Amino acid sequence: MRKILVTGGAGYIGSHTCVELLNSGHEVVIFDNFCNSSPVAIERITEITKKPVTHVYGNILDQQAIEETLTKYQCDTVIHFAGLKSVGESTQNPLSYYENNVAGTVKLLQAMAKCNVKNLVFSSSATVYGEPQFLPLTEDHPLSTTNPYGSSKLIIENILRDLYASDESWSITILRYFNPVGAHSSGRIGEDPRGTPNNLMPYVAQVAVGKLEKLTVFGNDYETKDGTGVRDYIHVTDLALGHLRSIEQIGASQCLEINLGTGVGYSVLEIVEAFKAASNKDIPYQFASRRAGDVASCFAAPKLAKDILGWEAKLGIEQMCQDHWNWQYSNPKGYSLN
Ligand code: NAD
Ligand code: WQD
């Protein structure tokens, strides 16, 4: 049993991970400033798990607040989700991404070092692979980025590798997520994007529920099965279980990079069809030109996660769409009550 500080634990992936950690008997302290989430998510975590969740309202840039929290709750491990994640916004406002993601992580690491808490699981992203030079993407694929968000993740990865090289008493697991989608099977927690969604599945879900008129498919001239972009969508509950396995594996001196994906790629049009089937709703769409910075195809080699963590994704595209729809349909306004 571990006592885990979960930064960003009220967010989309963090809330699902807290549920799986609590269900497996771990203690959780959420550290979040709700800049992209709602306190209602924390109430729902308690509702699902029937376990108490401690929450500290705070910013990861506040090193002293992190130190006080680690000490007060005697945390032995940190899962670090807190960060900004919009690619488009990062190109408009790069400094807030470098401040929040990079400087915030440095403050967190300094607090951890001071409190002698040296077990860390970090949320990285497949975005650090840049334009794929080969597929599926193995962890040793060269790293590069095309936008400030991706650069912030790659800088943090490099900081973590440097930190470990300087002090091998750290145990660091860098998880590179592919495209998280879906929601908890209860329909009580899920992704609650502010404003119009940037990502495909939440956009499709809002078309299905009638909030948005139609989907714009960015590009139908890629060299893929039907000309639309191909991605490795992973159910957020599988992703959460990947964190649980990482926590249970962590301990020895290590600095690992591990993909969390399914290894299977679906096109935009395949997602539209799967979501239509799950929701029984029409999903009108129109084709438009490619979105700047998008790659044709991106999917994981998931073998290392299986070898090291004994983890593999179990839930298929039907379940991803079904659970995403269930969440969207029963919470059309997300967590907001009006
Ligand atoms: P999210 O925005 O739902 O969750 C992030 C949480 O961190 C939010 O609750 C937010 O309020 C909190 N937060 C942000 N800055 C903070 C700060 N300075 N101090 C305290 N709390 C802060 O995002 P998510 O989808 O759950 O993503 C979690 C992590 O996984 C992020 O680091 C993201 O970059 C990474 N990631 C996400 C995806 C994805 O597609 N969702 C893919 C790869 C990696
Ligand atoms: C998927 C496919 C689009 C919206 C992003 C980040 C990545 C990671 C996950 C955090 C692509 C197409 C999309 C729409 C469309 N996040 N699409 N119409 O771009 O693979 O990854 O989220 O780390 O860093 O870049 O995900 O869901 O935006 O797009 O046609 O309205 O859907 O072109 O082919 P992406 P996505």
Side-chain angles (χ1 to χ4, degrees):
M1 208 271 291
R2 286 182 180 275
K3 290 190 179 176
I4 307 163
L5 182 79
V6 184
T7 74
Y12 173 44
I13 305 169
S15 57
H16 288 79
T17 302
C18 286
V19 165
E20 300 307 327
L21 294 169
L22 289 161
N23 281 343
S24 295
H26 298 287
E27 273 178 42
V28 160
V29 178
I30 292 177
F31 190 94
D32 202 303
N33 65 358
F34 302 124
C35 69
N36 195 38
S37 57
S38 162
V40 178
I42 298 181
E43 293 167 20
R44 303 264 178 104
I45 295 170
T46 304
E47 177 193 310
I48 294 168
T49 61
K50 303 192 173 42
K51 303 237 170 84
V53 183
T54 307
H55 167 245
V56 175
Y57 177 88
N59 191 318
I60 52 166
L61 285 158
D62 184 348
Q63 185 180 330
Q64 199 184 333
I66 302 171
E67 285 173 24
E68 283 168 8
T69 308
L70 288 171
T71 308
K72 180 172 177 190
Y73 297 102
Q74 299 181 304
C75 298
D76 51 53
T77 304
V78 174
I79 307 184
H80 178 31
F81 293 105
L84 303 178
K85 64 163 181 177
S86 164
V87 171
E89 189 182 60
S90 79
T91 61
Q92 302 300 313
N93 198 353
L95 293 183
S96 70
Y97 274 68
Y98 289 117
E99 181 182 33
N100 210 65
N101 295 5
V102 179
T105 300
V106 171
K107 291 291 173 199
L108 172 69
L109 294 170
Q110 281 171 332
M112 290 175 70
K114 213 158 160 197
C115 297
N116 201 29
V117 176
K118 294 186 172 177
N119 297 320
L120 175 71
V121 175
F122 170 64
S123 301
S124 190
S125 167
T127 193
V128 299
Y129 294 122
E131 173 87 37
Q133 294 173 20
F134 55 80
L135 289 165
L137 288 157
T138 47
E139 286 81 355
D140 59 2
H141 182 284
L143 304 179
S144 70
T145 59
T146 53
N147 58 71
Y149 166 73
S151 300
S152 76
K153 289 290 172 190
L154 184 49
I155 292 168
I156 296 167
E157 283 204 5
N158 286 332
I159 290 171
L160 293 175
R161 286 184 275 270
D162 287 344
L163 178 63
Y164 179 74
S166 76
D167 176 0
E168 293 193 358
S169 65
W170 282 82
S171 185
I172 298 172
T173 307
I174 295 169
L175 298 176
R176 295 182 180 145
Y177 315 151
F178 281 68
N179 290 56
V181 295
H184 190 260
S185 56
S186 64
R188 298 296 285 160
I189 54 172
E191 187 170 14
D192 184 16
R194 295 191 174 169
T196 306
N198 301 311
N199 297 115
L200 179 64
M201 184 81 72
Y203 200 105
V204 167
Q206 293 196 10
V207 173
V209 86
K211 268 176 96 172
L212 294 169
E213 195 191 334
K214 63 178 148 184
L215 171 72
T216 301
V217 178
F218 299 133
N220 60 350
D221 57 351
Y222 285 110
E223 280 192 28
T224 58
K225 45 190 142 187
D226 58 21
T228 65
V230 167
R231 297 289 183 277
D232 185 337
Y233 297 92
I234 175 167
H235 196 295
V236 67
T237 295
D238 271 330
L239 199 59
L241 290 168
H243 291 76
L244 176 65
R245 287 299 308 130
S246 300
I247 286 298
E248 291 174 349
Q249 180 268 350
I250 212 166
S253 162
Q254 62 182 29
C255 184
L256 299 171
E257 299 94 8
I258 302 177
N259 287 339
L260 293 183
T262 66
V264 181
Y266 288 99
S267 74
V268 175
L269 295 183
E270 285 175 324
I271 295 297
V272 169
E273 284 312 310
F275 210 93
K276 260 165 99 171
S279 62
N280 209 16
K281 298 280 180 194
D282 195 22
I283 317 238
Y285 64 84
Q286 64 187 10
F287 290 117
S289 46
R290 297 178 179 192
R291 184 171 65 179
D294 273 1
V295 302
S297 294
C298 174
F299 50 92
K303 187 173 180 303
L304 195 64
K306 191 168 186 197
D307 291 349
I308 294 184
L309 304 176
W311 171 92
E312 60 186 329
K314 295 260 169 18
L315 303 171
I317 197 68
E318 296 79 11
Q319 198 68 49
M320 298 182 211
C321 293
Q322 193 61 61
D323 288 338
H324 206 112
W325 172 241
N326 185 30
W327 154 255
Q328 176 70 67
Y329 181 73
S330 42
N331 306 267
K333 291 178 178 162
Y335 290 117
S336 82
L337 303 172
N338 45 48

